Amino acid sequence: MKTLYLLGSAAPPVLGIAPVIEMAQVRGYDVCLGLTPSAARWLEPRLTELERLTGHPVRSAYKVPGADDVWPPADVALFAPATFNSVNSWALGLTSSFVVGFAAEAIGKGIPLVAMPCVNSAYARHRAFGRSVTELREMGVTVLYGPGGFEPNLPGERRPGGFPWQLALDAVDAMGS
């Protein structure tokens, strides 16, 4: 069984993360869930349920130096939903949150990475965002953004078909092939 690190930041799709964990498990992954501090706060009432579902602690903070790692090593990682802040921080190497820090280090460790941003069209117009997506792609990250991936909607608009989790999990599967 391969270990998938599912990393999420505070965008609305993170609220529906439990079924995504189950879909990944059906595909044969041992899932470890990591969240930005804001995403962990959003999911706080359900963290115990998510830990039961994955069989691992949900992490949103760096471990104390010298402490044992509570997760098995990752075979692949999926950072979704990845917010404007997370994508830009990751591309710049600003690792103030555990999930961004893991993703940044995973590039250097050669751990296959898939990212699917979740930004509205106003954020997507910011020049830094496009540069960050390009930078991550140039570092070998599979970024599912644009045609065939996540396409921004208007601020405040809900996506009729929901967040395209299936595309993200298909890309994760392709990494293991």
Side-chain angles (χ1 to χ4, degrees), residues 145-163:
Y145 177 75
F150 180 84
E151 296 193 43
N153 41 289
L154 296 173
E157 180 183 77
R158 293 285 176 225
R159 182 169 303 282
F163 193 66

Side-chain angles (χ1 to χ4, degrees), residues 4-8 20 76-80 113-116 165 168-169 172:
L4 167 65
Y5 283 17
L6 177 56
L7 312 171
V20 179
V76 62
L78 169 60
F79 199 151
L113 290 156
V114 175
M116 186 149 48
W165 287 109
L169 292 173
V172 166

Side-chain angles (χ1 to χ4, degrees), residues 9 11-19 39 41-43 46 50 81 158 165:
S9 49
V14 82
L15 297 171
I17 202 78
R41 192 172 56 255
W42 287 12
L43 290 169
R46 300 194 336 240
L50 293 167
R158 293 285 176 225
W165 287 109

Side-chain angles (χ1 to χ4, degrees), residues 118-142:
C118 182
V119 297
N120 66 41
S121 59
Y123 279 125
R125 283 190 201 103
H126 194 288
R127 289 184 351 197
F129 184 73
R131 287 192 298 258
S132 294
V133 168
T134 298
E135 186 72 20
L136 290 171
R137 285 177 173 156
E138 288 175 357
M139 287 188 269
V141 178
T142 299

Side-chain angles (χ1 to χ4, degrees), residues 52-80:
R52 226 182 346 259
L53 181 61
T54 63
H56 302 286
V58 174
R59 292 188 57 194
S60 61
Y62 285 104
K63 67 183 180 90
V64 175
D68 290 335
D69 203 336
V70 294
W71 287 357
D75 293 301
V76 62
L78 169 60
F79 199 151

Side-chain angles (χ1 to χ4, degrees), residues 21-128:
I21 293 167
E22 292 170 335
M23 287 188 291
Q25 290 169 331
V26 166
R27 291 172 182 236
Y29 293 99
D30 178 19
V31 181
C32 298
L33 180 61
L35 301 167
T36 62
S38 293
R41 192 172 56 255
W42 287 12
L43 290 169
E44 191 170 355
R46 300 194 336 240
L47 291 179
T48 301
E49 167 197 333
L50 293 167
E51 288 180 348
R52 226 182 346 259
L53 181 61
T54 63
H56 302 286
V58 174
R59 292 188 57 194
S60 61
Y62 285 104
K63 67 183 180 90
V64 175
D68 290 335
D69 203 336
V70 294
W71 287 357
D75 293 301
V76 62
L78 169 60
F79 199 151
T83 60
F84 178 80
N85 184 58
S86 293
V87 169
N88 289 325
S89 296
W90 183 11
L92 289 171
L94 304 176
T95 61
S96 59
S97 75
F98 161 68
V99 295
V100 173
F102 170 82
E105 188 176 33
I107 291 170
K109 289 182 171 182
I111 297 169
L113 290 156
V114 175
M116 186 149 48
C118 182
V119 297
N120 66 41
S121 59
Y123 279 125
R125 283 190 201 103
H126 194 288
R127 289 184 351 197

